[in-house]
mmCIF file of all heavy atoms in Angstrom:
data_model
loop_
_atom_site.group_PDB
_atom_site.id
_atom_site.type_symbol
_atom_site.label_atom_id
_atom_site.label_comp_id
_atom_site.label_asym_id
_atom_site.label_seq_id
_atom_site.Cartn_x
_atom_site.Cartn_y
_atom_site.Cartn_z
ATOM 1 N N ASP A 90 36.281 46.507 105.031
ATOM 2 C CA ASP A 90 36.866 46.972 103.769
ATOM 3 C C ASP A 90 36.785 45.842 102.758
ATOM 4 O O ASP A 90 36.674 44.668 103.124
ATOM 5 C CB ASP A 90 38.332 47.362 103.977
ATOM 6 C CG ASP A 90 38.490 48.527 104.938
ATOM 7 O OD1 ASP A 90 37.524 49.293 105.102
ATOM 8 O OD2 ASP A 90 39.584 48.663 105.514
ATOM 9 N N SER A 91 36.890 46.180 101.472
ATOM 10 C CA SER A 91 36.703 45.163 100.429
ATOM 11 C C SER A 91 37.700 44.010 100.542
ATOM 12 O O SER A 91 37.322 42.846 100.397
ATOM 13 C CB SER A 91 36.765 45.794 99.045
ATOM 14 O OG SER A 91 38.038 46.356 98.810
ATOM 15 N N LYS A 92 38.966 44.284 100.818
ATOM 16 C CA LYS A 92 39.957 43.205 100.941
ATOM 17 C C LYS A 92 39.644 42.332 102.150
ATOM 18 O O LYS A 92 39.717 41.106 102.084
ATOM 19 C CB LYS A 92 41.373 43.778 101.065
ATOM 20 C CG LYS A 92 41.917 44.323 99.775
ATOM 21 C CD LYS A 92 43.334 44.826 99.957
ATOM 22 C CE LYS A 92 43.870 45.374 98.654
ATOM 23 N NZ LYS A 92 45.263 45.837 98.778
ATOM 24 N N GLU A 93 39.298 42.960 103.262
ATOM 25 C CA GLU A 93 38.957 42.212 104.469
ATOM 26 C C GLU A 93 37.728 41.345 104.228
ATOM 27 O O GLU A 93 37.692 40.173 104.604
ATOM 28 C CB GLU A 93 38.694 43.178 105.624
ATOM 29 C CG GLU A 93 39.902 43.978 106.046
ATOM 30 C CD GLU A 93 39.568 45.119 106.988
ATOM 31 O OE1 GLU A 93 38.394 45.527 107.067
ATOM 32 O OE2 GLU A 93 40.506 45.614 107.639
ATOM 33 N N ARG A 94 36.724 41.921 103.584
ATOM 34 C CA ARG A 94 35.493 41.191 103.289
ATOM 35 C C ARG A 94 35.771 40.004 102.373
ATOM 36 O O ARG A 94 35.263 38.904 102.595
ATOM 37 C CB ARG A 94 34.464 42.143 102.661
ATOM 38 C CG ARG A 94 33.120 41.514 102.422
ATOM 39 C CD ARG A 94 32.069 42.512 101.953
ATOM 40 N NE ARG A 94 32.518 43.365 100.863
ATOM 41 C CZ ARG A 94 32.743 44.675 100.949
ATOM 42 N NH1 ARG A 94 32.568 45.297 102.106
ATOM 43 N NH2 ARG A 94 33.133 45.371 99.911
ATOM 44 N N ASP A 95 36.597 40.205 101.342
ATOM 45 C CA ASP A 95 36.931 39.109 100.425
ATOM 46 C C ASP A 95 37.589 37.958 101.179
ATOM 47 O O ASP A 95 37.255 36.790 100.970
ATOM 48 C CB ASP A 95 37.861 39.595 99.312
ATOM 49 C CG ASP A 95 37.168 40.508 98.320
ATOM 50 O OD1 ASP A 95 35.906 40.528 98.294
ATOM 51 O OD2 ASP A 95 37.877 41.208 97.566
ATOM 52 N N ILE A 96 38.522 38.287 102.052
ATOM 53 C CA ILE A 96 39.220 37.250 102.810
ATOM 54 C C ILE A 96 38.237 36.472 103.680
ATOM 55 O O ILE A 96 38.211 35.238 103.673
ATOM 56 C CB ILE A 96 40.346 37.858 103.672
ATOM 57 C CG1 ILE A 96 41.490 38.326 102.774
ATOM 58 C CG2 ILE A 96 40.849 36.860 104.713
ATOM 59 C CD1 ILE A 96 42.564 39.118 103.503
ATOM 60 N N VAL A 97 37.410 37.180 104.433
ATOM 61 C CA VAL A 97 36.475 36.514 105.351
ATOM 62 C C VAL A 97 35.470 35.669 104.581
ATOM 63 O O VAL A 97 35.202 34.519 104.941
ATOM 64 C CB VAL A 97 35.767 37.555 106.254
ATOM 65 C CG1 VAL A 97 34.627 36.927 107.027
ATOM 66 C CG2 VAL A 97 36.764 38.200 107.196
ATOM 67 N N GLU A 98 34.921 36.214 103.515
ATOM 68 C CA GLU A 98 33.921 35.459 102.755
ATOM 69 C C GLU A 98 34.523 34.226 102.099
ATOM 70 O O GLU A 98 33.953 33.138 102.177
ATOM 71 C CB GLU A 98 33.263 36.357 101.707
ATOM 72 C CG GLU A 98 32.306 37.365 102.312
ATOM 73 C CD GLU A 98 31.703 38.318 101.303
ATOM 74 O OE1 GLU A 98 32.192 38.383 100.147
ATOM 75 O OE2 GLU A 98 30.739 39.014 101.664
ATOM 76 N N LEU A 99 35.677 34.381 101.438
ATOM 77 C CA LEU A 99 36.276 33.256 100.727
ATOM 78 C C LEU A 99 36.872 32.207 101.662
ATOM 79 O O LEU A 99 36.913 31.026 101.332
ATOM 80 C CB LEU A 99 37.346 33.746 99.753
ATOM 81 C CG LEU A 99 36.826 34.583 98.586
ATOM 82 C CD1 LEU A 99 37.988 35.159 97.789
ATOM 83 C CD2 LEU A 99 35.919 33.741 97.690
ATOM 84 N N ARG A 100 37.308 32.629 102.836
ATOM 85 C CA ARG A 100 37.947 31.697 103.763
ATOM 86 C C ARG A 100 36.955 31.031 104.704
ATOM 87 O O ARG A 100 37.146 29.897 105.133
ATOM 88 C CB ARG A 100 39.020 32.436 104.581
ATOM 89 C CG ARG A 100 39.711 31.591 105.617
ATOM 90 C CD ARG A 100 40.493 30.456 104.975
ATOM 91 N NE ARG A 100 41.201 29.679 105.967
ATOM 92 C CZ ARG A 100 40.719 28.583 106.544
ATOM 93 N NH1 ARG A 100 39.528 28.139 106.225
ATOM 94 N NH2 ARG A 100 41.429 27.928 107.422
ATOM 95 N N TYR A 101 35.841 31.722 105.027
ATOM 96 C CA TYR A 101 34.965 31.200 106.071
ATOM 97 C C TYR A 101 33.497 31.046 105.695
ATOM 98 O O TYR A 101 32.801 30.261 106.324
ATOM 99 C CB TYR A 101 35.055 32.093 107.325
ATOM 100 C CG TYR A 101 36.416 32.071 107.937
ATOM 101 C CD1 TYR A 101 37.327 33.078 107.678
ATOM 102 C CD2 TYR A 101 36.805 31.031 108.761
ATOM 103 C CE1 TYR A 101 38.595 33.050 108.226
ATOM 104 C CE2 TYR A 101 38.072 30.995 109.317
ATOM 105 C CZ TYR A 101 38.965 32.006 109.038
ATOM 106 O OH TYR A 101 40.215 31.967 109.571
ATOM 107 N N LEU A 102 32.985 31.791 104.735
ATOM 108 C CA LEU A 102 31.536 31.793 104.535
ATOM 109 C C LEU A 102 31.048 31.054 103.293
ATOM 110 O O LEU A 102 29.853 30.828 103.165
ATOM 111 C CB LEU A 102 31.013 33.241 104.520
ATOM 112 C CG LEU A 102 31.225 34.008 105.832
ATOM 113 C CD1 LEU A 102 30.700 35.421 105.703
ATOM 114 C CD2 LEU A 102 30.569 33.291 106.997
ATOM 115 N N VAL A 103 31.922 30.692 102.388
ATOM 116 C CA VAL A 103 31.476 29.956 101.203
ATOM 117 C C VAL A 103 31.347 28.478 101.548
ATOM 118 O O VAL A 103 31.895 28.002 102.554
ATOM 119 C CB VAL A 103 32.437 30.152 100.003
ATOM 120 C CG1 VAL A 103 32.437 31.605 99.558
ATOM 121 C CG2 VAL A 103 33.826 29.677 100.320
#
Side-chain angles (χ1 to χ4, degrees):
D90 297 337
S91 63
K92 286 182 180 182
E93 295 168 342
R94 185 173 48 248
D95 289 344
I96 289 172
V97 170
E98 287 177 347
L99 294 173
R100 178 64 178 93
Y101 296 98
L102 297 179
V103 295

